[in-house]
């Protein structure tokens, strides 16, 4: 559901070896919602694209979350960072659904994932990032369009530094620690992933639930 004051174009990418969904991208005007039927053992990610336009030749593109397909349907392409991501592995280990909202690739709009009618020990609860981070985003991470902050890059994308990307010598949970930049995301959105090894407080599990994804839930 789109509760934003602006249009959002959700994009969907199915995981490798997972059945593609009937749509990989569509438009949601403010107040609109869309119901998508998902296979029981699906995995993949969903995000919202913003500030999108179609040129005279019909080529479609977005300032944030663009999937590079030149069309509203993403057709197997993922989101260009920065983008707020909802990630799912349905009917995974132990028959559980695993889900999270990730800011590891940066942030472009508020999003919440809410399980409906599921069961699970303690973790069958909503997760996401409900606050606007585009305005307070540090200047060196901010993506601007027409004078407005429209997205907030991760430190990894902004600086391409192994320390921020959890790569190279920093490719383990012991060596890759939170940075002041990941803490900016984490303090604002404590349930969302803020960097690569932020699993403990950011992965949620549920069984036999339906999931409602809301953009700009507040």
């Amino acid at each position: 559901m789109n509760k934003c004051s602006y249009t959002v174009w959700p994009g969907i990418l199915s995981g490798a070896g997972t059945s593609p969904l009937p749509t990989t991208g569509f438009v949601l005007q403010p107040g609109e919602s869309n119901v998508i039927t998902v296979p029981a053992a699906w995995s993949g990610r969903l995000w919202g694209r913003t500030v999108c336009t179609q040129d005279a030749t019909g080529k479609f593109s977005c300032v944030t979350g663009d999937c590079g397909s030149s069309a509203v349907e993403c057709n197997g392409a993922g989101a260009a960072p920065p983008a707020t991501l909802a990630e799912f592995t349905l009917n995974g280990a132990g028959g559980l659904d695993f889900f999270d909202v990730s800011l590891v690739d940066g942030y472009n709009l508020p999003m919440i994932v809410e399980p409906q009618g599921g069961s699970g020990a303690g973790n069958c609860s909503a997760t996401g990032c409900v606050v606007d981070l585009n305005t307070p985003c540090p200047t060196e991470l901010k993506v601007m369009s027409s004078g407005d902050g429209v997205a907030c890059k991760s430190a990894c994308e902004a600086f391409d530094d192994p320390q921020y990307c959890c790569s190279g010598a920093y490719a383990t949970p012991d060596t890759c620690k939170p940075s002041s930049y990941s803490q900016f995301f984490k303090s604002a959105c404590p349930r969302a992933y803020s960097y690569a090894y932020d699993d403990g407080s950011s992965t949620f599990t549920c069984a036999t639930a339906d999931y409602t994804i809301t953009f700009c839930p507040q």
Side-chain angles (χ1 to χ4, degrees):
M1 168 169 278
N2 179 16
K3 289 189 176 179
C4 303
S5 59
Y6 48 85
T7 306
V8 176
W9 287 260
I12 302 173
L13 176 66
S14 295
T18 299
S19 303
L21 300 185
T23 179
T24 58
F26 51 94
V27 61
L28 286 180
Q29 302 294 344
E32 281 189 340
S33 59
N34 190 4
V35 177
I36 299 169
T37 303
V38 178
W42 185 77
S43 71
R45 50 180 48 182
L46 182 146
W47 66 97
R49 295 167 287 173
T50 66
V51 199
C52 302
T53 52
Q54 201 157 16
D55 69 14
T57 67
K59 181 183 178 184
F60 179 82
S61 62
C62 302
V63 175
T64 82
D66 191 66
C67 52
S69 64
S70 301
V72 174
E73 295 272 350
C74 284
N75 298 323
T84 312
L85 300 174
E87 301 177 313
F88 294 91
T89 299
L90 304 182
N91 201 15
L96 292 173
D97 299 342
F98 294 79
F99 62 99
D100 66 78
V101 170
S102 173
L103 308 181
V104 175
D105 286 343
Y107 166 100
N108 68 333
L109 79 175
M111 178 200 290
I112 192 168
V113 177
E114 297 173 288
Q116 310 286 336
S119 59
N123 263 348
C124 195
S125 55
T127 184
C129 185
V130 300
V131 298
D132 169 37
L133 298 183
N134 291 331
T135 302
C137 178
T139 303
E140 58 271 36
L141 305 183
K142 191 175 283 195
V143 177
M144 303 293 291
S145 176
S146 303
D148 294 321
V150 295
C152 192
K153 294 180 183 179
S154 68
C156 173
E157 190 200 355
F159 308 121
D160 193 25
D161 183 325
Q163 182 176 343
Y164 295 129
C165 297
C166 294
S167 60
Y170 295 93
T172 70
D174 290 334
T175 55
C176 197
K177 300 299 183 187
S179 66
S180 60
Y181 294 111
S182 74
Q183 293 284 30
F184 162 74
F185 291 116
K186 195 66 177 178
S187 61
C189 299
R191 288 174 164 246
Y193 262 87
S194 61
Y195 77 109
Y197 292 112
D198 194 13
D199 316 62
S201 60
S202 309
T203 299
F204 293 80
T205 54
C206 204
T208 61
D210 293 323
Y211 295 91
T212 300
I213 299 166
T214 306
F215 301 105
C216 307
Q218 288 187 331

